Amino acid sequence: MTEGAFQYTDERFADLQLLRYKVTGFEHLSLKQKFLIYHLSEAALLGRDILWDQNCRFNLRIRQLLETIYTDYAGDRQTADFREFVVYLKRVWFSNGIHHHYGSQKLRPGFSKEFFRQAVRGIALEKLPLSEGQDGAESLIEELIPILFDPKVMGKRVNQAEGEDLILTSACNYYGPGITQKEAEDFYRSQKELGNKKRPIMHGMNSQLVKENGKLQEHTWRSGGMYGPAIDRIIKELQAAMPYAENDRQQAVIGKLIEFYQTGDLKTFDQYTILWVNDTEGEVDFTNGFTEVYGDPLGLKASWEGYVNFTDREATHRAQTLSENAQWFEDHSPVDARFRKEVCKGVSARVVNAAILGGDLYPSSAIGINLPNSDWVRAEHGSKSVTIGNLTHAYDQAAKGSGMRKEFVIDAQTLGILDRYVDACDDLHTDLHECLGHGSGILLPGVDPDSLKSYGSTIEEARADLFGLYYMADEKLVELGLLPDGEAYKAQYYSYLLNGLLTQLVRIEPGHQIEEAHMRNRALISRWTLAHYPQAVRLTEHQGKTYVEILDYPTLRLAFGTLLAEVQRIKSEGDYTAARTLVEDYGIKVDEKLHAQILERYKKLDLAPYKGFINPRYKLERNAAGEVTDIHVIYGEPYDQQMLRYSRDYHTL
Ligand code: ZN
């Protein structure tokens, strides 16, 4: 629970906030597992240049040029131009290229063309990323000025505007110059018609489509083909990882991936994903390769990404403890005995921790991943879905340091309770919700599971949340070692009501109502409690600001228990009218005045809309004989140093 001095937040610039994540539990893995993670992590970093080139064909050269200016610039580094240049480079690093990582529009340099010209002229000739036919700085400047400065030249990485030629107008490098959308669509339509229709391969996924001598051809990304030098280095690390595989299945997965990288054969890729989906026994898992297709306007070509994860034992242990005691929780719940389950089994959720993020998952990353993407493989063999616990945790920590708490929590005493307990509580409440809440209770015989219709999902989320809230204050959790003491639940109660009554409104635009089921559920529970238990919780005003004030914590538990019993009755009996009344009365409407006040207070905190992560490093510890005796995680590498190191050590193209 103690976080020590770990810094979750790092640099903030433009619309970006950099965070760090902690590789929790790495030290408890076996040396063999650490080796496996080490080599897979190296493999995950080696595809970086592939992604940069996929995003735009000028990216790698521009990166080299900008980095050289950054390290070699001999002029005044305090000028506005140079400072703007640094911000621009940091944004380019973050976006893996010159287009915004999320919006895909070209990033606008804040420095002048004159500064750029003069900076390039100052660079030693042998360090300039000249293309064929260029003889020096002037021709390079000529070529790159429109690419960097003219918003009309390569303006969007992925253009989705209807009615335009999506390929000619997109700057991504999946299609060679001059290829039209129609040509590409015809090309892949005929491939699909000729191929297996029941179990189609991922046509076009791992190649660039080009026109050579007037004929369309694919440059396949494989060993000996396009991106071959990068892929060969990835293969080497995968080969180095193989002896450390946790079991034969996992070894076969890595072996098949190597075969795919060697051949580029998409049937081999399907075989690989099937092996991967079925590999569920080990603790370590990974993704490495051409994966998501959001970067291609036609949705065929996959950007390169890599990451490595391992099971979060602590989270898994917590979930198991709850699951083993599922029957006790069911038997003691405040709902009518007719609605309880006689035999109750908990569900185990798979929570993992990320060890490294690479390619299209770096620095901006997803926090949950569900693969593979092939429809027929998913239908016939299933898929793997994980929540990346340490990234979620880092986001939570960052949110807490953001000033939100200080702005919205009522007093120092409550702040103290939150600081002490809220981490332990958040995770546990989520587990109670997922592992027990959703699985508890029964429908009475003959009740249609869909009888609550559009209110069903809000009621279901409320049921799971209330189950968790009710038990958070139970001595049983302290007894099971899941909470430190009988005070801890107060942190959960306060933060839950604060979110449900006030702070979740920051995610809603002015004039809108609450739409999303989880948000509706939180509003429903909080406002129902506010209306029915004024002796336990109320809203107070202080200098024009609204705060949540809790007057009586034990009575709140009573409130949650009472509402849980009612919500379970609604669900068990399929009482549509009661569900509608509850949700409509408490879950949807937004008080305009209160909303405006909350948004105003939030805006003043000036939080960055986009976040991404700086990776940790892995350091090998050797004995006198040079043998590796342990592997350690090192944190704290500055953002620019990490980017420069990656460009140097994982430079492949
Ligand atoms: Zn849920």
Side-chain angles (χ1 to χ4, degrees):
M1 240 178 299
T2 53
E3 295 292 344
F6 191 84
Q7 267 304 114
Y8 286 94
T9 50
D10 205 278
E11 281 185 63
R12 158 91 217 258
F13 49 87
D15 55 356
L16 305 171
Q17 167 76 60
L18 284 162
L19 308 177
R20 292 177 190 275
Y21 60 95
K22 212 170 177 179
V23 191
T24 313
F26 183 80
E27 65 278 15
H28 300 308
L29 297 173
S30 70
L31 185 56
K32 196 178 165 198
Q33 287 174 313
K34 290 177 183 174
F35 265 114
L36 178 64
I37 289 175
Y38 175 79
H39 288 296
L40 291 175
S41 293
E42 289 292 301
L45 294 173
L46 280 163
R48 181 171 178 253
D49 284 2
I50 297 177
L51 178 74
W52 280 72
D53 190 67
Q54 287 178 320
N55 281 344
C56 176
R57 67 178 194 276
F58 291 98
N59 276 340
L60 285 171
R61 286 172 57 221
I62 289 174
R63 186 183 79 196
Q64 190 194 326
L65 182 64
L66 299 179
E67 287 178 351
T68 310
I69 295 174
Y70 186 65
T71 53
D72 292 13
Y73 186 68
D76 184 356
R77 289 178 173 248
Q78 302 307 321
T79 62
D81 265 327
F82 191 81
R83 284 204 302 268
E84 286 292 339
F85 166 79
V86 173
V87 170
Y88 178 75
L89 172 57
K90 286 179 176 177
R91 297 184 77 186
V92 170
W93 275 330
F94 192 97
S95 292
N96 293 294
I98 58 173
H99 298 87
H100 195 277
H101 74 287
Y102 188 80
S104 117
Q105 75 280 12
K106 203 159 75 176
L107 300 168
R108 288 233 183 165
F111 51 89
S112 65
K113 289 177 193 166
E114 204 32 62
F115 166 83
F116 178 71
R117 286 196 188 96
Q118 169 235 332
V120 175
R121 283 174 193 141
I123 292 176
L125 185 66
E126 70 274 12
K127 286 191 177 177
L128 291 176
L130 300 177
S131 61
E132 263 184 37
Q134 290 182 337
D135 54 0
E138 296 313 317
S139 44
L140 182 64
I141 290 167
E142 229 22 60
E143 182 195 18
L144 292 186
I145 286 249
I147 309 278
L148 291 182
F149 288 91
D150 187 344
K152 289 195 287 295
V153 177
M154 299 192 132
K156 288 211 102 184
R157 178 164 51 81
V158 194
N159 182 23
Q160 301 280 21
E162 233 185 88
E164 296 177 24
D165 188 305
L166 301 184
I167 290 186
L168 288 176
T169 56
S170 292
C172 61
N173 192 23
Y174 294 118
Y175 303 89
I179 293 185
T180 65
Q181 181 177 351
K182 185 172 183 312
E183 283 174 319
E185 281 171 349
D186 289 348
F187 183 86
Y188 286 109
R189 190 175 308 116
S190 71
Q191 269 204 3
K192 279 177 195 166
E193 273 161 15
L194 293 170
N196 183 334
K197 291 200 186 66
K198 199 166 160 235
R199 296 192 176 93
I201 56 169
M202 306 285 280
H203 291 282
M205 181 195 88
N206 64 333
S207 65
Q208 184 192 43
L209 186 66
V210 293
K211 212 190 269 180
E212 277 171 353
N213 306 321
K215 261 191 76 179
L216 289 174
Q217 284 187 16
E218 286 182 313
H219 284 170
T220 302
W221 307 326
R222 62 174 170 81
S223 180
M226 190 172 173
Y227 301 146
I231 288 170
D232 285 342
R233 283 188 63 189
I234 293 169
I235 290 175
K236 258 201 179 138
E237 287 299 336
L238 292 174
Q239 283 166 338
M242 267 178 94
Y244 303 105
E246 292 171 284
N247 52 56
D248 294 348
R249 265 192 188 179
Q250 199 175 51
Q251 199 163 54
V253 170
I254 302 173
K256 207 38 124 180
L257 178 58
I258 293 172
E259 189 187 323
F260 168 63
Y261 272 139
Q262 285 165 337
T263 60
D265 178 6
L266 287 169
K267 278 202 196 91
T268 307
F269 179 75
D270 284 343
Q271 291 162 7
Y272 152 72
T273 56
I274 292 165
L275 285 174
W276 179 78
V277 163
N278 288 306
D279 166 30
T280 53
E281 273 156 40
E283 286 190 297
V284 178
D285 201 5
F286 72 105
T287 293
N288 186 298
F290 307 106
T291 309
E292 302 291 358
V293 295
Y294 310 114
D296 171 10
L298 300 189
L300 296 171
K301 309 208 167 279
S303 64
W304 194 95
E305 72 181 34
Y307 92 117
V308 184
N309 72 67
F310 59 95
T311 303
D312 180 342
R313 285 184 194 166
E314 204 184 297
T316 306
H317 168 77
R318 225 176 26 234
Q320 267 168 6
T321 307
L322 290 179
S323 294
E324 282 160 14
N325 289 279
Q327 193 65 51
W328 185 92
F329 286 98
E330 185 74 3
D331 294 346
H332 291 78
S333 102
V335 311
D336 191 313
R338 291 178 302 141
F339 308 142
R340 285 194 200 129
K341 240 183 206 156
E342 269 176 39
V343 182
C344 189
K345 264 180 74 186
V347 195
S348 291
R350 182 166 147 78
V351 182
V352 302
N353 285 327
I356 205 84
L357 303 168
D360 221 355
L361 289 170
Y362 169 84
S364 173
S365 174
I367 50 168
I369 293 182
N370 189 323
L371 288 172
N373 287 329
S374 163
D375 289 325
W376 73 264
V377 175
R378 293 173 73 90
E380 292 182 23
H381 301 273
S383 63
K384 275 203 252 186
S385 177
V386 296
T387 305
I388 310 178
N390 59 341
L391 299 191
T392 314
H393 183 70
Y395 277 126
D396 288 350
Q397 291 298 319
K400 279 158 199 166
S402 67
M404 278 290 275
R405 264 198 217 164
K406 214 168 160 254
E407 173 59 36
F408 288 100
V409 174
I410 187 162
D411 55 30
Q413 193 203 344
T414 312
L415 266 174
I417 293 176
L418 293 185
D419 283 343
R420 244 184 29 249
Y421 297 118
V422 89
D423 296 329
C425 284
D426 264 359
D427 289 344
L428 185 57
H429 185 257
T430 306
D431 288 343
L432 285 165
H433 175 117
E434 297 294 345
C435 306
L436 300 179
H438 280 308
S440 75
I442 51 162
L443 296 181
L444 290 184
V447 170
D448 175 358
D450 293 327
S451 46
L452 304 181
K453 302 197 182 88
S454 64
Y455 301 106
S457 49
T458 298
I459 290 293
E460 178 56 21
E461 291 310 323
R463 202 172 68 87
D465 260 3
L466 285 163
F467 195 95
L469 287 167
Y470 176 76
Y471 277 114
M472 282 303 289
D474 200 301
E475 277 298 310
K476 183 79 176 174
L477 296 180
V478 182
E479 214 177 281
L480 290 171
L482 298 173
L483 278 182
D485 56 47
E487 292 281 291
Y489 78 96
K490 293 179 180 173
Q492 183 63 24
Y493 279 16
Y494 191 87
S495 63
Y496 193 92
L497 291 175
L498 174 61
N499 190 27
L501 293 170
L502 304 180
T503 49
Q504 74 166 355
L505 293 176
V506 305
R507 290 156 63 187
I508 305 214
E509 288 183 43
H512 287 233
Q513 300 201 320
I514 306 177
E515 305 282 348
E516 200 271 332
H518 293 83
M519 291 179 73
R520 281 186 171 185
N521 131 55
R522 289 192 284 263
L524 183 164
I525 292 173
S526 306
R527 294 172 185 179
W528 182 92
T529 307
L530 185 68
H532 290 80
Y533 289 81
Q535 72 274 36
V537 56
R538 67 178 179 200
L539 293 178
T540 53
E541 300 270 328
H542 182 66
Q543 295 181 334
K545 292 178 176 181
T546 305
Y547 295 92
V548 174
E549 184 180 10
I550 292 184
L551 304 160
D552 181 352
Y553 281 95
T555 301
L556 272 183
R557 185 182 192 210
L558 221 81
F560 294 143
T562 307
L563 186 55
L564 172 58
E566 170 62 3
V567 164
Q568 182 63 56
R569 183 199 65 75
I570 291 172
K571 170 106 181 178
S572 292
E573 294 179 352
D575 186 344
Y576 173 79
T577 314
R580 187 183 62 197
T581 307
L582 252 190
V583 178
E584 293 288 345
D585 284 359
Y586 299 105
I588 299 177
K589 285 177 222 87
V590 176
D591 177 322
E592 261 180 60
K593 244 184 89 192
L594 179 65
H595 192 199
Q597 180 213 122
I598 301 297
L599 288 178
E600 185 59 34
R601 288 161 75 185
Y602 180 71
K603 209 177 132 200
K604 286 207 181 108
L605 298 174
D606 187 29
L607 303 177
Y610 302 104
K611 297 180 179 68
F613 294 97
I614 301 174
N615 275 322
R617 296 187 71 166
Y618 291 90
K619 194 174 151 237
L620 307 179
E621 180 185 299
R622 295 174 195 275
N623 62 16
E627 297 154 340
V628 175
T629 52
D630 204 352
I631 300 175
H632 299 287
V633 195
I634 314 269
Y635 304 101
E637 183 177 27
Y639 175 62
D640 61 341
Q641 295 307 308
Q642 179 155 98
M643 287 297 180
L644 291 171
R645 181 170 64 86
Y646 284 0
S647 295
R648 186 185 67 231
D649 295 352
Y650 303 96
H651 170 76
T652 53
L653 299 174

